[in-house]
Amino acid sequence: MGKAIRILVLAAGVILLLAGAAWLLLPRFNDRQASGEISLPTLEAPVRIVRDENATPYIYAESLEDALRGQGFVAGQDRLFQLETAKRAATGRLAEVLGAGEGDVILNLDREARVIGFNRIAARQEAMLSSSSRSALESYLEGLNAYIADRSDTHPMEFGLAGFAPEKWTVNDLLAMGYFLGWGSAANFDAELIAHKVIQAVGEERFREIAPLAINPDDHGERSEGQGAANSSASRIRATAPPAKWTKGGWRKQGYGGSNNWAISGAKAGQKAAIVTNDPHLDSRMLPGPWHPVGLIAPEMRVVGVSAGLPGVVIGRNEHIAFGVTNAYADAIDLYIETVDPENAANYMEGNQSIPFEVTTETIRIKDDAAENGVREEELTVRSTRRGPIITDQDKERAGDAVLSVRWASAEYMDGALGLDGLMTARNIEEALAAVEASRIVSLNFVIGDVTGRVARRASGVAPIRLRGDGMAPFPITDGTDNWGERIPAKEMPGEVDPERGWTGTANHMTAPADYPYTYTSFVSPGYRYRRIRELFEAPKVTAKEAWAGQYDTLNLFARDIAPILSGALIASDDEELKEIGGVLKRWDHRDDPQELAPTLFQETVRQLARLTFEDELGEEVTAAYLSSWYVWQERFDAMVQAGDSPWFDDTRTEDKEDLAALIRRAGKAALERLRGSYGDDRSNWLWGKVHTIKFQGPLRQTGLAGWLTGNRELPMAGSGETLLRALYPYDEPFGSKWFASLRMTADLNDPEKVRAVLPGGAVGRTFHSNLADQNAHWTDKDAEIYWWFSDEAINRNSQSTLTLSPKATP
């Protein structure tokens, strides 16, 4: 026995030794040069890259162009595999290297990219670029392409494992990627498809009863349909288009990335300069996350912040201002019901006029081991009307007879300026607003603070002035009259400057006021997060520490609205178990904290109550589509529950007339059944932090021990979709968090040395690298102090390595 124990101890020691050696040595197998000197002949003068302990690069250059060349080179060093796959997603070339994917999931992404035509849109944009915008893009690409061409020995190992190599980038590639990102912020594509299905199921009048609410919480807290009225022509949909099943599982564009941001004036903070906080909510489960932190320092500029693979910085600060973004959800997209000419299928009808479709042919290459030479090709024919491409041609089985086109304002109202390059060098609020107003591709709410203490907010992007309809449902084309006029003037996009209350902020809520003269959007986040921001900042003074802490607030105002209604109905039940869970909800403080049972009971009861409310009249398929979009139903449902009386609460499948209380008790029973089936009888396994988690995954998507070694982690998550500490799960996949803070930042412009900021992941997107996921622990700890450095003194004091890029060839 003693010998056996010694053998086991020895074996365990060897395993630990090997694991330790692997832990120390593996990062060296997939690293890049961070010190010394590298030749970059395209430079005009040497560029110095200083990295801190988090591997954040601070790029010192003698000109803006050289700083961007350095940024392109560093982006290649740190994020090349991520960038290459993003480029291929934008240009519809993922299947070429990854194959069609299970159920053609990858091929379908390529099809969508080709149909929408990000590369075709980019080509139109490229032809009209201003000289300054073109120079910025080309400078960045010179650095990136130099890394690709000249440093192949340090390319990420992911390329070798995936079986393809990076390619030279073009200006078209960068612009296509910008439009690809902009498409994700263009609002209600999915919501229009859902409206289409609901109207077909129950008609326009009943759709109006459950149509999305678009409420600005600053409009005296009133609940009003406002811009959420149904499309005035929606009743025609039922007659002109048969049920379109393709909204389920096909052509799904809309994620629920959101964000919080706020800017606190100097006066409100009790100091001279303003404070800006921002936490953009994205699906950031794939390490290292979407944002690459960087500092750009040149004679005309000093800025630190994050980039999403494009040149410059989109969130951060310079010497004069700080800026943060949220998704504005301006409705920049409309769907149209087109009519094919019954006498000529090559044409479509506008009234009595027959117009030829514009036809584009796209060829998608698909990696396929069974095909000759390992690749097969699919030819894609894209028909377009004067409004935009037909999106239903590629899915005849699901589309039925409906012919829908999509029109996108960003692709229609473009000009030669990209806009956001001006934000990095802005010296005051006015210059920053001018830069935001010049940005047309992406619909974002910018908040800005400056060193004089002023604050402002303005929405970027473009939205049309709708002459007919409101964009909530697909618009039937009956004649040649356009329902879009000009764009909403940039200076009239929602915003405010120097508000009296001393702060401004957004949380993807309706920012257009009730008297706004244009239809801005019908698709916004419920107002819970914004209302909570407003409560937090009612205090006479808000410090930088308090501004930072707001990002970790877990008070759920949706639960505060309706948990008492749920608990009252459950406690009044004859069922002892329902009484018990009603008591748990009654005693709850409405904070979504990991150690609590109540958040789990609340979320599951709400899910079941919503399903029971709509399923009898909409049917299972349409109900699933409707509930799949939180922004479509949640605030409307909240209003219905608070009102307490709605015909939707009666189950039309039974002879009895159910009221809300009866439906809540049925929902409670269904919730308990689902929780037991998923987590067992032991309620300690139902605690919010045990069921509500985030699963991070390394770039190689490995499982088991290999996955753990390459970055996979599962973390308990506080918060929910309704809290400032946001962790939103898909309705039909409870409770795995998918959308959450992809960055947390507070820029106190009174502090000349640093910006408080943390990522879920890290700065370097290389498997095994020590900076792939090193910030996760800091990200979950609200008290952790982690920074981007701003002053030369702070950067030098925290320097871990220095790399010089030389315009001359190194010996």
Side-chain angles (χ1 to χ4, degrees), residues 171-185:
V171 170
N172 181 279
D173 291 331
L174 273 183
L175 290 171
M177 200 161 75
Y179 278 100
F180 178 70
L181 296 173
W183 175 252
S185 71

Side-chain angles (χ1 to χ4, degrees), residues 84-287:
E84 187 70 18
T85 53
K87 176 185 74 175
R88 286 179 172 274
T91 55
R93 296 182 58 212
L94 268 177
E96 181 178 321
V97 294
L98 300 180
E102 185 177 352
D104 283 350
V105 62
I106 296 173
L107 178 56
N108 284 335
L109 291 175
D110 281 357
R111 288 169 176 159
E112 180 172 355
R114 300 296 186 98
V115 170
I116 304 303
F118 301 116
N119 57 339
R120 300 191 299 272
I121 297 168
R124 298 204 306 272
Q125 175 80 77
E126 184 178 0
M128 61 177 69
L129 279 177
S130 67
S131 58
S132 61
S133 292
R134 182 177 296 276
S135 175
L137 296 175
E138 290 178 344
S139 295
Y140 178 86
L141 288 180
E142 286 173 9
L144 177 60
N145 284 330
Y147 178 75
I148 291 171
D150 301 336
R151 306 296 296 177
S152 60
D153 58 328
T154 64
H155 285 177
M157 63 182 285
E158 289 83 354
F159 285 106
L161 294 172
F164 70 99
E167 296 177 348
K168 181 179 179 180
W169 284 54
T170 66
V171 170
N172 181 279
D173 291 331
L174 273 183
L175 290 171
M177 200 161 75
Y179 278 100
F180 178 70
L181 296 173
W183 175 252
S185 71
N188 69 336
F189 182 97
D190 271 2
E192 286 197 47
L193 300 180
I194 291 166
H196 187 67
K197 296 193 74 166
V198 174
I199 289 169
Q200 291 170 70
V202 296
E204 182 184 1
E205 286 190 21
R206 298 228 68 191
F207 168 68
R208 285 178 177 273
E209 295 173 3
I210 59 171
L213 289 177
I215 305 164
N216 186 331
D218 285 332
D219 286 333
H220 311 294
E222 297 174 357
R223 290 192 179 276
S224 168
E225 290 198 7
Q227 298 188 39
N231 187 316
S232 60
S233 299
S235 58
R236 297 183 57 86
I237 293 173
R238 231 178 165 192
T240 60
K245 297 180 181 179
W246 52 277
T247 58
K248 182 178 181 181
W251 293 92
R252 298 302 305 277
K253 129 185 205 306
Q254 184 63 61
Y256 293 91
S259 309
N260 307 313
N261 62 13
W262 46 82
I264 310 298
S265 73
K268 181 82 170 177
Q271 53 194 22
K272 179 181 179 182
I275 301 165
V276 172
T277 292
N278 190 193
D279 59 313
H281 308 150
L282 299 169
D283 184 354
S284 304
R285 294 171 297 171
M286 180 63 68
L287 296 172

Side-chain angles (χ1 to χ4, degrees), residues 630-695:
W630 294 95
Y631 290 4
V632 166
W633 67 272
Q634 190 175 20
E635 195 150 26
R636 169 68 72 178
F637 180 70
D638 183 343
M640 291 167 61
V641 172
Q642 289 199 66
D645 184 23
S646 169
W648 289 87
F649 294 138
D650 176 41
D651 189 340
T652 60
R653 296 168 296 190
T654 69
E655 293 183 0
D656 296 332
K657 183 176 175 59
E658 289 83 6
D659 60 10
L660 175 58
L663 211 62
I664 289 171
R665 288 190 279 271
R666 285 176 55 186
K669 280 290 191 183
L672 289 170
E673 183 179 349
R674 212 284 293 180
L675 293 173
R676 284 197 191 95
S678 297
Y679 309 113
D681 292 331
D682 185 351
R683 291 188 186 176
S684 67
N685 292 325
W686 300 8
L687 299 181
W688 190 231
K690 290 190 176 181
V691 303
H692 185 241
T693 63
I694 293 177
K695 293 183 180 179

Side-chain angles (χ1 to χ4, degrees), residues 324 328 432-433 436-437 444-448 456-460 489-497 504 506:
L433 289 175
V436 172
E437 290 160 6
L444 299 171
N445 282 316
F446 279 83
V447 297
I448 305 153
R457 167 174 57 84
R458 177 76 76 236
S460 70
K491 291 184 179 297
E492 296 181 38
M493 294 288 273
E496 60 183 354
V497 179
T504 188
T506 65

Side-chain angles (χ1 to χ4, degrees), residues 769-791:
H769 200 280
S770 58
N771 297 112
L772 173 68
D774 58 310
Q775 295 186 40
N776 269 343
H778 300 297
W779 179 75
T780 56
D781 179 5
K782 73 178 188 302
D783 297 320
E785 297 189 10
I786 183 169
Y787 301 102
W788 301 327
W789 307 108
F790 189 72
S791 69

